[in-house]
Amino acid sequence: RYDLNLLPVFVALMEERSVTRAASRLGVTQAALSNALARLRTVLQDPLFIRERYGMRPTPKAEQMAPALAQALAALDTVVLGQRAFDPARAD
């Protein structure tokens, strides 16, 4: 099992390459983002991001998975955010 809430964390880290900036982007604390990254690492059995002097470098596995996970998250956003608001005047 995995937590779908971890997908935005992965995508934000891939794009920002910084725990601080990814946390700010997602509106969470650095500690919360670090906790989510730890869970991602456990689920995916890979370090995913290696701390470097000026940020985080994705591992080869993270680089390989990134396009598919970004696409999956975009598809979920389209489904969830694409729902039209209920309009009783138009309902059958």
Coordinates of all heavy atoms in Angstrom, one line a residue:
R1 N 0.8 -1.2 0.0 CA 0.0 0.0 0.0 C 0.9 1.2 0.0 O 2.0 1.2 0.5 CB -0.9 0.0 1.2 CG -2.0 -1.0 1.2 CD -2.9 -0.8 2.3 NE -4.2 -1.3 1.9 CZ -5.3 -0.5 1.8 NH1 -5.3 0.7 2.3 NH2 -6.4 -1.0 1.4
Y2 N 0.3 2.3 -0.5 CA 1.0 3.6 -0.5 C 0.0 4.7 -0.4 O -1.1 4.5 -0.6 CB 1.9 3.7 -1.8 CG 1.0 3.5 -3.1 CD1 0.4 4.6 -3.7 CD2 0.9 2.2 -3.6 CE1 -0.4 4.4 -4.8 CE2 0.2 2.0 -4.8 CZ -0.5 3.1 -5.4 OH -1.2 2.9 -6.5
D3 N 0.6 5.8 0.0 CA -0.2 7.0 0.3 C -0.1 7.9 -0.9 O 0.9 8.4 -1.3 CB 0.3 7.7 1.5 CG -0.4 8.9 2.0 OD1 -1.3 9.4 1.3 OD2 -0.1 9.4 3.1
L4 N -1.3 8.2 -1.5 CA -1.3 9.1 -2.7 C -0.8 10.5 -2.4 O -0.4 11.3 -3.2 CB -2.7 9.2 -3.3 CG -3.1 7.9 -4.1 CD1 -4.5 8.0 -4.6 CD2 -2.2 7.5 -5.2
N5 N -0.9 10.9 -1.1 CA -0.4 12.2 -0.7 C 1.1 12.3 -0.8 O 1.6 13.5 -0.8 CB -0.8 12.5 0.8 CG -2.3 12.6 1.0 OD1 -2.9 13.3 0.2 ND2 -2.8 12.0 2.0
L6 N 1.8 11.2 -1.0 CA 3.2 11.3 -1.2 C 3.6 11.7 -2.7 O 4.7 12.1 -2.9 CB 3.9 9.9 -0.9 CG 3.7 9.5 0.6 CD1 4.3 8.1 0.8 CD2 4.3 10.5 1.5
L7 N 2.7 11.5 -3.6 CA 3.0 11.9 -5.0 C 3.4 13.4 -5.2 O 4.4 13.7 -5.8 CB 1.8 11.5 -5.9 CG 1.6 10.0 -6.2 CD1 0.4 9.9 -7.1 CD2 2.8 9.4 -6.7
P8 N 2.6 14.3 -4.6 CA 3.0 15.7 -4.7 C 4.3 16.0 -4.1 O 5.1 16.9 -4.5 CB 1.9 16.5 -4.1 CG 0.7 15.6 -4.0 CD 1.3 14.2 -4.0
V9 N 4.7 15.3 -3.0 CA 6.0 15.5 -2.4 C 7.1 15.1 -3.3 O 8.0 15.8 -3.5 CB 6.0 14.6 -1.1 CG1 7.4 14.6 -0.5 CG2 5.0 15.2 0.0
F10 N 6.9 13.9 -4.0 CA 7.9 13.5 -4.9 C 8.1 14.5 -6.0 O 9.2 14.9 -6.4 CB 7.6 12.1 -5.5 CG 8.5 11.6 -6.4 CD1 9.7 10.9 -6.0 CD2 8.4 11.8 -7.8 CE1 10.6 10.4 -6.9 CE2 9.3 11.3 -8.7 CZ 10.4 10.6 -8.3
V11 N 7.0 14.9 -6.6 CA 7.0 15.8 -7.8 C 7.6 17.2 -7.4 O 8.5 17.7 -8.1 CB 5.6 16.0 -8.4 CG1 5.6 17.1 -9.4 CG2 5.2 14.7 -9.0
A12 N 7.3 17.7 -6.2 CA 7.8 18.9 -5.7 C 9.3 18.8 -5.5 O 10.1 19.7 -5.9 CB 7.1 19.4 -4.5
L13 N 9.8 17.7 -4.9 CA 11.2 17.5 -4.7 C 11.9 17.4 -6.0 O 13.0 17.9 -6.2 CB 11.5 16.3 -3.8 CG 11.3 16.6 -2.3 CD1 11.3 15.2 -1.6 CD2 12.5 17.4 -1.8
M14 N 11.4 16.7 -7.0 CA 12.0 16.6 -8.3 C 12.1 18.0 -8.9 O 13.2 18.3 -9.5 CB 11.2 15.7 -9.2 CG 11.4 14.3 -9.0 SD 13.1 13.7 -9.3 CE 13.4 14.0 -11.0
E15 N 11.1 18.8 -8.8 CA 11.2 20.1 -9.5 C 12.0 21.2 -8.7 O 12.7 22.0 -9.3 CB 9.7 20.6 -9.7 CG 9.0 19.8 -10.7 CD 7.5 20.1 -10.9 OE1 7.0 21.0 -10.2 OE2 6.9 19.5 -11.7
E16 N 11.9 21.1 -7.4 CA 12.6 22.2 -6.6 C 14.0 21.8 -6.2 O 14.8 22.6 -6.0 CB 11.8 22.4 -5.3 CG 10.4 22.9 -5.5 CD 10.3 24.3 -6.1 OE1 11.3 25.0 -6.1 OE2 9.3 24.7 -6.7
R17 N 14.3 20.5 -6.1 CA 15.6 20.0 -5.6 C 16.0 20.6 -4.3 O 17.2 20.7 -4.0 CB 16.6 20.3 -6.7 CG 16.3 19.8 -8.1 CD 16.4 18.3 -8.2 NE 15.8 17.8 -9.5 CZ 16.5 17.4 -10.5 NH1 17.8 17.4 -10.5 NH2 15.9 16.9 -11.6
S18 N 15.0 20.9 -3.5 CA 15.3 21.5 -2.2 C 14.1 21.1 -1.2 O 13.0 21.3 -1.6 CB 15.4 23.0 -2.3 OG 15.3 23.6 -1.0
V19 N 14.4 20.6 0.0 CA 13.4 20.3 0.9 C 12.7 21.6 1.4 O 11.5 21.6 1.5 CB 14.0 19.5 2.1 CG1 13.0 19.4 3.2 CG2 14.5 18.1 1.7
T20 N 13.5 22.6 1.6 CA 12.9 23.9 2.0 C 11.9 24.4 1.0 O 10.8 24.8 1.4 CB 14.0 24.9 2.3 OG1 14.9 24.4 3.3 CG2 13.5 26.2 2.8
R21 N 12.3 24.5 -0.2 CA 11.5 25.1 -1.3 C 10.3 24.2 -1.5 O 9.1 24.6 -1.8 CB 12.2 25.3 -2.6 CG 13.2 26.5 -2.4 CD 13.8 26.9 -3.8 NE 14.4 25.9 -4.5 CZ 15.7 25.6 -4.5 NH1 16.5 26.2 -3.7 NH2 16.1 24.6 -5.2
A22 N 10.5 22.8 -1.5 CA 9.4 21.9 -1.8 C 8.3 22.0 -0.6 O 7.1 22.0 -0.9 CB 9.9 20.5 -1.9
A23 N 8.8 22.1 0.6 CA 7.9 22.3 1.7 C 7.1 23.6 1.6 O 5.9 23.6 1.8 CB 8.7 22.2 3.1
S24 N 7.8 24.6 1.3 CA 7.1 25.9 1.1 C 6.1 25.8 0.0 O 4.9 26.3 0.2 CB 8.1 27.0 0.8 OG 7.5 28.2 0.6
R25 N 6.4 25.2 -1.1 CA 5.5 25.1 -2.2 C 4.2 24.3 -1.8 O 3.1 24.6 -2.3 CB 6.2 24.4 -3.3 CG 5.4 24.1 -4.5 CD 6.3 23.5 -5.6 NE 5.6 22.7 -6.6 CZ 6.1 22.2 -7.6 NH1 7.4 22.3 -7.8 NH2 5.4 21.4 -8.4
L26 N 4.4 23.3 -1.0 CA 3.3 22.4 -0.6 C 2.6 22.9 0.6 O 1.6 22.4 1.0 CB 3.8 21.0 -0.4 CG 4.3 20.3 -1.6 CD1 4.9 19.0 -1.2 CD2 3.3 20.1 -2.7
G27 N 3.1 24.0 1.3 CA 2.5 24.5 2.4 C 2.6 23.7 3.7 O 1.7 23.6 4.5
V28 N 3.7 23.0 3.8 CA 4.0 22.1 5.0 C 5.3 22.5 5.6 O 6.1 23.3 5.0 CB 4.0 20.6 4.6 CG1 2.7 20.2 4.0 CG2 5.1 20.3 3.6
T29 N 5.6 22.0 6.7 CA 6.9 22.3 7.4 C 8.0 21.4 6.7 O 7.7 20.4 6.1 CB 6.9 22.0 8.9 OG1 6.6 20.6 9.1 CG2 5.8 22.9 9.6
Q30 N 9.2 21.9 7.0 CA 10.4 21.0 6.5 C 10.3 19.7 7.2 O 10.6 18.7 6.5 CB 11.7 21.7 6.8 CG 12.0 22.9 6.0 CD 13.3 23.5 6.3 OE1 13.7 23.6 7.5 NE2 14.0 24.0 5.3
A31 N 10.0 19.6 8.4 CA 9.9 18.3 9.2 C 8.8 17.4 8.5 O 9.1 16.2 8.4 CB 9.6 18.6 10.6
A32 N 7.7 18.0 8.2 CA 6.6 17.2 7.6 C 7.1 16.6 6.2 O 6.8 15.5 5.9 CB 5.4 18.0 7.4
L33 N 7.8 17.5 5.5 CA 8.2 17.0 4.1 C 9.3 16.0 4.3 O 9.3 15.0 3.6 CB 8.8 18.2 3.3 CG 8.9 17.8 1.8 CD1 7.9 18.5 1.0 CD2 10.3 17.9 1.4
S34 N 10.2 16.1 5.3 CA 11.2 15.1 5.5 C 10.6 13.8 5.9 O 11.1 12.7 5.5 CB 12.2 15.6 6.6 OG 13.0 16.7 6.1
N35 N 9.6 13.9 6.7 CA 8.9 12.7 7.2 C 8.2 12.0 6.0 O 8.3 10.8 5.8 CB 7.8 13.0 8.2 CG 7.1 11.8 8.8 OD1 6.8 10.9 8.1 ND2 6.8 11.9 10.1
A36 N 7.6 12.8 5.1 CA 7.0 12.2 3.9 C 8.1 11.6 3.0 O 7.9 10.5 2.4 CB 6.2 13.3 3.1
L37 N 9.2 12.2 2.9 CA 10.3 11.7 2.1 C 10.8 10.3 2.7 O 11.1 9.4 1.9 CB 11.5 12.7 2.0 CG 12.7 12.2 1.2 CD1 12.4 11.7 -0.2 CD2 13.8 13.3 1.2
A38 N 10.9 10.3 4.0 CA 11.3 9.0 4.6 C 10.3 7.9 4.3 O 10.7 6.7 4.0 CB 11.4 9.2 6.1
R39 N 9.0 8.2 4.3 CA 8.0 7.2 3.9 C 8.1 6.8 2.4 O 8.0 5.6 2.1 CB 6.6 7.7 4.2 CG 6.3 7.8 5.7 CD 4.9 8.2 6.0 NE 4.7 9.6 5.6 CZ 3.6 10.2 5.3 NH1 2.5 9.5 5.4 NH2 3.6 11.4 5.0
L40 N 8.3 7.8 1.6 CA 8.6 7.5 0.1 C 9.7 6.6 0.0 O 9.7 5.6 -0.8 CB 8.8 8.8 -0.6 CG 7.7 9.5 -1.3 CD1 8.1 10.9 -1.8 CD2 7.1 8.7 -2.4
R41 N 10.8 6.8 0.7 CA 12.0 6.0 0.6 C 11.7 4.6 1.0 O 12.2 3.6 0.4 CB 13.1 6.6 1.4 CG 13.7 7.8 0.8 CD 14.7 8.5 1.8 NE 15.5 9.5 1.1 CZ 16.1 10.5 1.6 NH1 16.1 10.6 3.0 NH2 16.8 11.3 0.9
T42 N 10.9 4.4 2.0 CA 10.6 3.1 2.5 C 9.7 2.4 1.5 O 10.0 1.2 1.1 CB 9.8 3.2 3.8 OG1 10.7 3.8 4.8 CG2 9.4 1.8 4.3
V43 N 8.7 3.0 1.0 CA 7.7 2.4 0.0 C 8.5 2.0 -1.3 O 8.3 1.0 -1.8 CB 6.6 3.4 -0.3 CG1 5.7 2.9 -1.4 CG2 5.7 3.5 1.0
L44 N 9.3 2.9 -1.8 CA 10.0 2.7 -3.1 C 11.3 2.0 -2.9 O 11.9 1.7 -4.0 CB 10.1 4.0 -3.8 CG 8.8 4.7 -4.1 CD1 9.0 6.1 -4.7 CD2 7.9 3.8 -5.0
Q45 N 11.8 1.8 -1.7 CA 13.0 1.0 -1.5 C 14.2 1.6 -2.2 O 15.0 0.9 -2.9 CB 12.8 -0.4 -1.8 CG 11.8 -1.1 -1.0 CD 11.5 -2.5 -1.3 OE1 12.0 -3.0 -2.4 NE2 10.8 -3.2 -0.5
D46 N 14.3 3.0 -2.1 CA 15.4 3.7 -2.7 C 15.6 5.0 -2.0 O 14.6 5.6 -1.5 CB 15.1 4.0 -4.2 CG 16.2 4.5 -5.0 OD1 17.1 3.7 -5.4 OD2 16.3 5.8 -5.2
P47 N 16.8 5.5 -1.9 CA 17.0 6.8 -1.2 C 16.3 8.0 -2.0 O 16.0 9.0 -1.4 CB 18.5 7.0 -1.3 CG 19.1 5.8 -1.7 CD 18.1 4.9 -2.3
L48 N 16.1 7.8 -3.3 CA 15.4 8.8 -4.1 C 16.1 10.1 -4.3 O 16.2 10.6 -5.4 CB 13.9 9.0 -3.7 CG 13.0 7.8 -3.6 CD1 11.7 8.2 -3.0 CD2 12.9 7.3 -5.0
F49 N 16.5 10.7 -3.2 CA 17.2 12.0 -3.3 C 18.4 12.0 -2.4 O 18.3 11.6 -1.2 CB 16.3 13.2 -2.9 CG 15.1 13.3 -3.8 CD1 13.9 12.7 -3.5 CD2 15.2 14.0 -5.0 CE1 12.8 12.7 -4.4 CE2 14.1 14.1 -5.9 CZ 12.9 13.5 -5.6
I50 N 19.6 12.4 -2.9 CA 20.8 12.5 -2.1 C 21.1 13.9 -1.8 O 21.1 14.8 -2.7 CB 22.0 11.9 -2.9 CG1 21.6 10.5 -3.5 CG2 23.3 11.9 -2.1 CD1 21.3 9.5 -2.4
R51 N 21.3 14.2 -0.5 CA 21.6 15.6 -0.1 C 23.0 15.9 -0.6 O 24.0 15.2 -0.5 CB 21.6 15.7 1.4 CG 21.8 17.1 1.9 CD 21.7 17.2 3.4 NE 20.5 16.6 3.9 CZ 19.3 17.1 3.9 NH1 19.1 18.3 3.4 NH2 18.2 16.5 4.4
E52 N 23.1 17.1 -1.3 CA 24.3 17.7 -1.8 C 24.5 19.0 -1.1 O 23.6 19.5 -0.5 CB 24.3 17.8 -3.3 CG 24.3 16.4 -4.0 CD 24.5 16.5 -5.5 OE1 24.1 17.5 -6.1 OE2 25.1 15.6 -6.0
R53 N 25.6 19.7 -1.4 CA 25.9 21.0 -0.9 C 24.8 22.0 -1.1 O 24.5 22.8 -0.2 CB 27.3 21.4 -1.4 CG 27.7 22.7 -0.7 CD 29.1 23.0 -1.2 NE 29.6 24.2 -0.5 CZ 30.8 24.7 -0.7 NH1 31.6 24.2 -1.5 NH2 31.1 25.8 0.0
Y54 N 24.3 22.0 -2.3 CA 23.3 23.1 -2.7 C 21.9 22.5 -3.0 O 21.2 23.0 -3.9 CB 23.8 23.9 -3.9 CG 25.1 24.7 -3.5 CD1 26.3 24.3 -4.0 CD2 25.0 25.7 -2.6 CE1 27.4 25.0 -3.7 CE2 26.2 26.4 -2.3 CZ 27.4 26.0 -2.8 OH 28.5 26.7 -2.5
G55 N 21.5 21.4 -2.4 CA 20.2 20.9 -2.6 C 20.2 19.3 -2.6 O 21.0 18.7 -2.0
M56 N 19.2 18.8 -3.3 CA 19.0 17.4 -3.4 C 19.1 16.9 -4.8 O 18.5 17.5 -5.7 CB 17.6 17.0 -2.9 CG 17.2 17.5 -1.5 SD 18.1 16.7 -0.2 CE 17.1 15.2 0.0
R57 N 19.9 15.8 -5.0 CA 20.1 15.3 -6.3 C 19.3 14.0 -6.4 O 19.4 13.1 -5.5 CB 21.6 15.0 -6.6 CG 21.8 14.3 -7.9 CD 23.3 14.0 -8.1 NE 24.0 13.4 -7.0 CZ 24.0 12.1 -6.7 NH1 23.4 11.2 -7.5 NH2 24.7 11.6 -5.7
P58 N 18.4 13.8 -7.4 CA 17.6 12.6 -7.5 C 18.5 11.4 -7.9 O 19.5 11.6 -8.6 CB 16.6 12.9 -8.6 CG 17.1 14.1 -9.3 CD 18.1 14.8 -8.4
T59 N 18.2 10.3 -7.4 CA 18.9 9.0 -7.8 C 18.4 8.6 -9.2 O 17.4 9.1 -9.7 CB 18.5 7.9 -6.8 OG1 17.1 7.6 -6.9 CG2 18.9 8.2 -5.4
P60 N 19.1 7.7 -9.8 CA 18.6 7.2 -11.1 C 17.2 6.6 -11.1 O 16.4 6.9 -12.0 CB 19.7 6.1 -11.5 CG 20.9 6.5 -10.8 CD 20.4 7.1 -9.5
K61 N 16.8 6.0 -10.0 CA 15.5 5.4 -9.9 C 14.5 6.6 -9.8 O 13.4 6.5 -10.5 CB 15.3 4.6 -8.6 CG 14.0 3.9 -8.5 CD 13.9 2.9 -7.4 CE 12.6 2.2 -7.4 NZ 12.6 1.1 -6.4
A62 N 14.8 7.6 -9.1 CA 13.9 8.8 -9.0 C 13.7 9.4 -10.4 O 12.6 9.8 -10.8 CB 14.4 9.8 -8.0
E63 N 14.8 9.6 -11.1 CA 14.8 10.2 -12.5 C 14.0 9.3 -13.4 O 13.2 9.8 -14.2 CB 16.2 10.3 -13.0 CG 17.1 11.3 -12.3 CD 16.8 12.7 -12.8 OE1 15.9 13.0 -13.6 OE2 17.6 13.6 -12.4
Q64 N 14.1 8.0 -13.3 CA 13.3 7.1 -14.1 C 11.8 7.1 -13.8 O 11.0 7.1 -14.7 CB 13.8 5.6 -13.9 CG 13.1 4.6 -14.7 CD 13.5 3.2 -14.3 OE1 14.1 3.0 -13.2 NE2 13.3 2.3 -15.2
M65 N 11.5 7.3 -12.5 CA 10.1 7.3 -12.1 C 9.4 8.6 -12.3 O 8.1 8.7 -12.4 CB 10.0 6.9 -10.7 CG 10.4 5.5 -10.4 SD 10.5 5.1 -8.6 CE 8.9 5.7 -8.1
A66 N 10.1 9.7 -12.3 CA 9.6 11.0 -12.3 C 8.5 11.3 -13.4 O 7.4 11.8 -13.1 CB 10.7 12.1 -12.4
P67 N 8.8 11.0 -14.7 CA 7.8 11.3 -15.7 C 6.4 10.6 -15.4 O 5.4 11.2 -15.6 CB 8.4 10.9 -17.0 CG 9.9 10.9 -16.7 CD 10.0 10.5 -15.3
A68 N 6.5 9.3 -15.1 CA 5.3 8.6 -14.9 C 4.5 9.1 -13.7 O 3.3 9.2 -13.7 CB 5.6 7.1 -14.7
L69 N 5.2 9.4 -12.6 CA 4.5 9.9 -11.4 C 3.9 11.3 -11.6 O 2.8 11.6 -11.2 CB 5.5 9.9 -10.2 CG 5.9 8.5 -9.7 CD1 6.8 8.6 -8.5 CD2 4.6 7.7 -9.3
A70 N 4.7 12.2 -12.3 CA 4.1 13.5 -12.6 C 2.9 13.4 -13.5 O 1.9 14.1 -13.3 CB 5.2 14.3 -13.3
Q71 N 2.9 12.5 -14.5 CA 1.8 12.3 -15.4 C 0.6 11.7 -14.6 O -0.5 12.1 -14.8 CB 2.2 11.3 -16.5 CG 1.1 11.1 -17.5 CD 1.5 10.2 -18.6 OE1 2.5 9.4 -18.5 NE2 0.9 10.3 -19.8
A72 N 0.8 10.8 -13.7 CA -0.2 10.2 -12.8 C -0.9 11.3 -12.0 O -2.1 11.4 -11.8 CB 0.3 9.1 -12.0
L73 N 0.0 12.1 -11.4 CA -0.6 13.2 -10.5 C -1.4 14.2 -11.4 O -2.4 14.6 -10.9 CB 0.6 13.9 -9.8 CG 0.2 15.0 -8.8 CD1 -0.7 14.4 -7.7 CD2 1.4 15.6 -8.2
A74 N -0.9 14.5 -12.5 CA -1.6 15.4 -13.4 C -3.0 14.8 -13.8 O -4.0 15.5 -13.9 CB -0.8 15.7 -14.7
A75 N -3.0 13.5 -14.1 CA -4.3 12.9 -14.4 C -5.2 12.9 -13.2 O -6.4 13.1 -13.4 CB -4.0 11.4 -14.9
L76 N -4.7 12.6 -12.0 CA -5.6 12.7 -10.9 C -6.1 14.1 -10.7 O -7.3 14.3 -10.3 CB -4.8 12.3 -9.6 CG -4.6 10.8 -9.5 CD1 -3.6 10.5 -8.3 CD2 -5.9 10.0 -9.3
D77 N -5.3 15.1 -10.8 CA -5.7 16.5 -10.7 C -6.8 16.8 -11.7 O -7.8 17.5 -11.4 CB -4.6 17.5 -10.9 CG -3.7 17.6 -9.7 OD1 -4.1 17.1 -8.6 OD2 -2.6 18.2 -9.9
T78 N -6.7 16.4 -12.9 CA -7.7 16.6 -14.0 C -9.0 16.0 -13.6 O -10.1 16.6 -13.7 CB -7.2 16.0 -15.3 OG1 -6.0 16.7 -15.7 CG2 -8.3 16.2 -16.4
V79 N -9.0 14.8 -13.0 CA -10.2 14.1 -12.6 C -10.9 14.8 -11.4 O -12.1 15.1 -11.5 CB -10.0 12.6 -12.3 CG1 -11.2 12.0 -11.6 CG2 -9.6 11.9 -13.5
V80 N -10.1 15.1 -10.4 CA -10.6 15.7 -9.2 C -11.0 17.1 -9.4 O -12.1 17.6 -9.0 CB -9.6 15.5 -8.0 CG1 -10.1 16.3 -6.8 CG2 -9.4 14.0 -7.7
L81 N -10.1 17.9 -10.0 CA -10.3 19.3 -10.1 C -11.2 19.7 -11.3 O -11.8 20.8 -11.4 CB -9.0 20.1 -10.2 CG -8.1 19.9 -9.0 CD1 -6.7 20.7 -9.3 CD2 -8.7 20.4 -7.8
G82 N -11.4 18.7 -12.2 CA -12.2 18.9 -13.4 C -13.7 18.7 -13.1 O -14.5 18.9 -14.0
Q83 N -14.1 18.3 -11.9 CA -15.5 18.1 -11.6 C -16.2 19.4 -11.6 O -15.7 20.4 -11.0 CB -15.6 17.4 -10.2 CG -15.0 16.1 -10.2 CD -15.7 15.1 -11.1 OE1 -16.9 15.0 -11.1 NE2 -14.9 14.3 -11.8
R84 N -17.3 19.5 -12.2 CA -18.1 20.7 -12.2 C -18.9 20.8 -10.9 O -19.3 19.8 -10.3 CB -19.1 20.6 -13.4 CG -18.4 20.7 -14.7 CD -19.3 20.5 -15.9 NE -20.5 21.2 -15.8 CZ -21.5 21.1 -16.7 NH1 -21.4 20.3 -17.7 NH2 -22.6 21.7 -16.5
A85 N -19.1 22.0 -10.5 CA -19.8 22.3 -9.3 C -21.3 21.9 -9.5 O -21.8 22.0 -10.6 CB -19.7 23.8 -8.9
F86 N -21.9 21.4 -8.5 CA -23.3 21.0 -8.6 C -24.2 22.3 -8.8 O -24.1 23.2 -8.0 CB -23.8 20.3 -7.3 CG -25.2 19.9 -7.3 CD1 -25.7 18.9 -8.2 CD2 -26.1 20.6 -6.5 CE1 -27.0 18.6 -8.2 CE2 -27.4 20.2 -6.5 CZ -27.9 19.3 -7.4
D87 N -25.0 22.2 -9.8 CA -25.9 23.3 -10.1 C -27.3 22.7 -10.1 O -27.7 22.0 -11.1 CB -25.6 23.9 -11.5 CG -26.5 25.1 -11.8 OD1 -27.4 25.4 -11.0 OD2 -26.3 25.7 -12.9
P88 N -28.1 22.9 -9.1 CA -29.5 22.3 -9.0 C -30.4 22.7 -10.2 O -31.2 21.9 -10.6 CB -30.0 22.8 -7.7 CG -29.1 23.9 -7.2 CD -27.9 23.8 -7.9
A89 N -30.2 23.9 -10.8 CA -31.0 24.3 -11.9 C -30.7 23.4 -13.1 O -31.6 23.3 -14.0 CB -30.7 25.8 -12.2
R90 N -29.6 22.8 -13.2 CA -29.2 22.0 -14.4 C -29.3 20.5 -14.1 O -29.2 19.7 -15.0 CB -27.8 22.3 -14.8 CG -27.6 23.7 -15.4 CD -26.2 23.8 -15.9 NE -26.1 25.0 -16.7 CZ -25.0 25.4 -17.2 NH1 -23.9 24.7 -17.0 NH2 -24.9 26.5 -18.0
A91 N -29.5 20.1 -12.9 CA -29.6 18.7 -12.5 C -30.9 18.1 -13.0 O -31.9 18.7 -13.1 CB -29.5 18.5 -11.0
D92 N -30.8 16.8 -13.5 CA -31.9 16.0 -13.9 C -32.5 15.3 -12.8 O -31.9 14.8 -12.0 CB -31.5 15.0 -15.0 CG -31.1 15.8 -16.3 OD1 -31.6 16.8 -16.6 OD2 -30.2 15.2 -17.0

